[in-house]
Amino acid sequence: MARQRYSGQGYRGYSRVNKKMEKMVATLVIVATVFVLNQMGIDIGGSGSSGSKVKPLKEKSVEQLLDEVKVASPDEYADYDRNSYTEPYKKIEYKGRKYSLRKFAFVTSKHYKDGDYTDPYTGDELSLDDSNFDHIIPLNYVNKHGGAKWSHSKKHQYATDVRVGVDVDGAVNRDKSDKGPSDWLPETNVDDYCYTWLVIAVSYDIPLSPEDVKVIRDHVGSSPKLINPYN
């Protein structure tokens, strides 16, 4: 039988097809890996950008959230290092520019209209310079309620997630500190504030203290909304 011969061009064409197939397989593997890691809640970088694929906060009825939220007393002796949550610092890319978390929260919030921002905790007009980004469930509260055992990736994801915070007056933020609802409530939008605590707690699997759950139950209202609505 005559041996089949291939021209150099034929081999080159075969090689190109092989390389294309290898690239396709590699791309599929990367996509699958990213999907699995995201489902596990692992930050693989870039999660701060406005176009990143993040799971939505679990907005449910008050009854569902109260049924699902975990209740546990805090570990007051849990070591807390804020930098373990916030470092490395990263900016958020939005409409071709890079923003700090505070500025991004300010300009993309529905509390910002026609150039004016209304502080959701006080109802007063607030400038960007006077604002702080407040983690609605504070980082130290999270740390005492299981966060100390989180991976650095999950800590960083929470600390840089614009959906778990809102811009408020700096003095008000300092007054709130790491208090839960049983020790501190805002002057306005109390039902929305309490509802948002539940949504974040269920979404990030953060147990709340029995005292805080009781206050939330007493104040949440029948038709609350997220206090931190972002576009």
Side-chain angles (χ1 to χ4, degrees), residues 69-186:
V69 70
K70 293 181 179 178
V71 182
S73 296
D75 178 3
E76 298 289 353
Y77 301 100
D79 289 334
Y80 175 58
D81 177 10
R82 184 181 177 86
N83 290 339
S84 70
Y85 287 82
T86 59
E87 297 296 334
Y89 178 80
K90 69 179 175 184
K91 290 201 170 185
I92 299 172
E93 191 170 327
Y94 177 66
K95 293 185 177 180
R97 297 178 59 187
K98 289 190 176 180
Y99 292 79
S100 66
L101 180 63
R102 177 172 65 101
K103 187 171 182 179
F104 178 73
F106 195 93
V107 301
T108 61
S109 174
K110 291 182 180 177
H111 298 297
Y112 183 68
K113 296 179 180 178
D114 301 323
D116 294 324
Y117 185 93
T118 302
D119 186 334
Y121 286 1
T122 66
D124 297 332
E125 188 174 321
L126 180 68
S127 69
L128 176 63
D129 289 343
D130 292 331
S131 70
N132 283 173
F133 181 79
D134 175 55
H135 292 89
I136 293 165
I137 302 184
L139 295 182
N140 195 16
Y141 186 103
V142 170
N143 195 71
K144 292 176 181 177
H145 290 77
K149 297 179 181 178
W150 285 1
S151 67
H152 174 262
S153 178
K154 186 174 181 180
K155 288 179 180 179
H156 193 247
Q157 179 182 341
Y158 181 83
T160 58
D161 187 346
V162 69
R163 305 166 309 155
V164 304
V166 68
D167 275 5
V168 300
D169 181 87
V172 173
N173 184 42
R174 290 188 290 275
D175 180 59
K176 174 188 171 183
S177 186
D178 63 352
K179 301 180 183 77
S182 60
D183 293 315
W184 190 93
L185 288 172

